[in-house]
Amino acid sequence: MSDYVVRVLEEDEKHAAQTVFRGSLHHPPSTDEEWEHAADGYPARRSFGAFRSGRIVGSAQSFGSAMVVPGGKVLPLAAVSRVGVRADHTRRGVLTELMSAQLRQLRELDEPLAALHATESVIYGRFGYGVATRGRTVEAESTRGRTLPPMPSSGEIRLLEPDEMMTVLPGLYERIGLRRPGMMARPESWWRMVVQRRLSLKEHLTVAVHSGPDGDDGFVAYQTSVTPPSEDRTLTVQDLHGTSLGVVLDLWRFLLGVDLVRSVSAWLRPLDEPVELIVPNRGECRTTALGEETWLRLVDVPAALAARSYGDADPVVVEVHDRFLPENAGSYRVGPEGVERTDARADLELPVDALAMLYLGDVSASVLATTGRLTAHDPDALLRADRLFTTGAPPWSGTFF
């Protein structure tokens, strides 16, 4: 790395950073119009570049958000994105230096959590990230014109005009709230990058809003595509949220009844969303894929552990290893009454990436031990840890960035 310099990007270097990032994904450079919207993804002071001989060859950035953790507390979150290294500079430690610089900055910003979506799963575990939420891809046949299982319905559906989307959706998402561990806040820049960009580029996006007795309480954004030569239409869900499971299933019923559509597909939906139970035959709703959703990094381990709630079990002592942020390393007594550092002998020992898998409740301590990601010095502590870290529902984010 002696030939490379990693530093915060100047404003006039960000477009070149976007070109490097897109190139790392085998995409062409952004057009001027595309860059106008992509620029929101490079916040001031949070965008890093790796330089060699004055030319940018790698990038990484983040934007500020927040995530809800078990128990309902909302913690500051760094949403990490646009990470890439030019193909002729990989395997030289460039990415390691970029991620190290970013993690040090996040500590200074007092953001105890960081999250990202990984293009390649093999990359981020070595930097302390672990898969903390997962989702399933659901495909269901259209139900239009057929008798459906009875289900309480408590609202009406209306379609938004394009010029209403940016005024209605941000406030509605905020009203829906962060309802399960792993969900994250969406700053204004997210809405500009995701929704306003599509509208400005004339992409066809349909948004339906669900309204109940107390007003708007859910929404779904979707697109339709045609598969030649049959001309069958597939409706693809881009974003779907509601204040309750009933609202979400009402929106699903609407989607399944849209005319001239053969099937509905939704990517990375919650693992426990029971779409199968609202179609005439369960076999017409299939899980076609299970996938990782959010990779989580505990930037400040003691703060993150202290923020979440725990189940009813005797405390366990957990020893954590963190190569990139050694100040996190050490042992913590975790129990229903709270978390504290301790010099006591560890019951369980694990690296910080495995702790991220455990933290939101996606994977149990027993499973981590069975797969070799956690060492149990006291086997009886595994059952206690399982009860301590359990959550009522699988964690899920529902926001792509």
Side-chain angles (χ1 to χ4, degrees), residues 86-98:
R86 226 172 66 172
D88 55 349
H89 291 270
T90 57
R91 316 295 187 268
R92 303 185 189 184
V94 176
L95 183 58
T96 297
E97 291 301 313
L98 281 166

Side-chain angles (χ1 to χ4, degrees), residues 317 331 342-347 377-378:
V317 176
S331 294
T342 180
D343 293 326
R345 180 179 180 274
D347 301 311
H377 300 296
D378 177 3

Side-chain angles (χ1 to χ4, degrees), residues 184-202:
M184 57 180 284
R186 295 177 175 180
E188 182 182 350
S189 59
W190 185 93
W191 292 101
R192 290 198 303 267
M193 286 187 292
V194 175
V195 177
Q196 186 63 58
R197 178 186 63 82
R198 290 181 172 182
L199 297 175
S200 299
L201 297 176
K202 307 301 181 185

Side-chain angles (χ1 to χ4, degrees), residues 28-244:
S30 301
T31 65
D32 289 342
E33 185 178 12
E34 289 170 336
W35 170 244
E36 182 180 343
H37 303 288
D40 274 327
Y42 292 86
R45 298 182 298 280
R46 300 182 70 117
S47 302
F48 286 88
F51 294 82
R52 187 184 188 193
S53 301
R55 174 173 292 186
I56 186 167
V57 297
S59 74
Q61 63 81 238
S62 70
F63 64 86
S65 181
M67 177 179 283
V68 64
V69 301
K73 189 167 184 178
V74 178
L75 293 183
L77 169 77
V80 175
S81 186
R82 291 165 174 78
V83 179
V85 177
R86 226 172 66 172
D88 55 349
H89 291 270
T90 57
R91 316 295 187 268
R92 303 185 189 184
V94 176
L95 183 58
T96 297
E97 291 301 313
L98 281 166
M99 301 305 287
S100 297
Q102 185 179 68
L103 286 171
R104 289 193 296 270
Q105 183 193 64
L106 300 183
R107 287 283 299 198
E108 294 170 1
L109 293 174
D110 290 327
E111 292 174 338
L113 301 177
L116 56 80
H117 292 267
T119 306
E120 281 192 295
S121 299
V122 299
I123 296 175
Y124 294 100
R126 66 181 186 267
F127 306 124
Y129 287 85
V131 177
T133 70
R134 294 173 295 137
R136 64 175 183 142
T137 298
V138 181
E139 292 187 2
E141 300 300 314
S142 170
T143 61
R144 66 185 189 280
R146 293 188 289 164
T147 302
L148 301 179
M151 188 180 81
S153 181
S154 59
E156 297 182 350
I157 304 286
R158 76 178 189 279
L159 297 181
L160 295 184
E161 296 295 333
D163 60 2
E164 296 179 292
M165 294 177 188
M166 283 296 290
T167 57
V168 172
L169 291 180
L172 179 50
Y173 181 81
E174 189 170 344
R175 183 192 177 197
I176 291 169
L178 308 182
R179 304 187 61 81
R180 72 163 80 202
M183 289 187 69
M184 57 180 284
R186 295 177 175 180
E188 182 182 350
S189 59
W190 185 93
W191 292 101
R192 290 198 303 267
M193 286 187 292
V194 175
V195 177
Q196 186 63 58
R197 178 186 63 82
R198 290 181 172 182
L199 297 175
S200 299
L201 297 176
K202 307 301 181 185
E203 291 187 23
H204 183 61
L205 184 69
T206 304
V207 174
V209 170
H210 184 282
S211 297
D214 298 322
D216 293 347
D217 53 14
F219 70 91
V220 59
Y222 62 91
Q223 294 177 303
T224 54
S225 58
V226 178
T227 305
S230 65
E231 299 299 312
D232 289 336
R233 288 178 172 82
T234 298
L235 188 156
T236 302
V237 175
Q238 306 288 325
D239 203 9
L240 171 56
H241 291 275
T243 57
S244 69

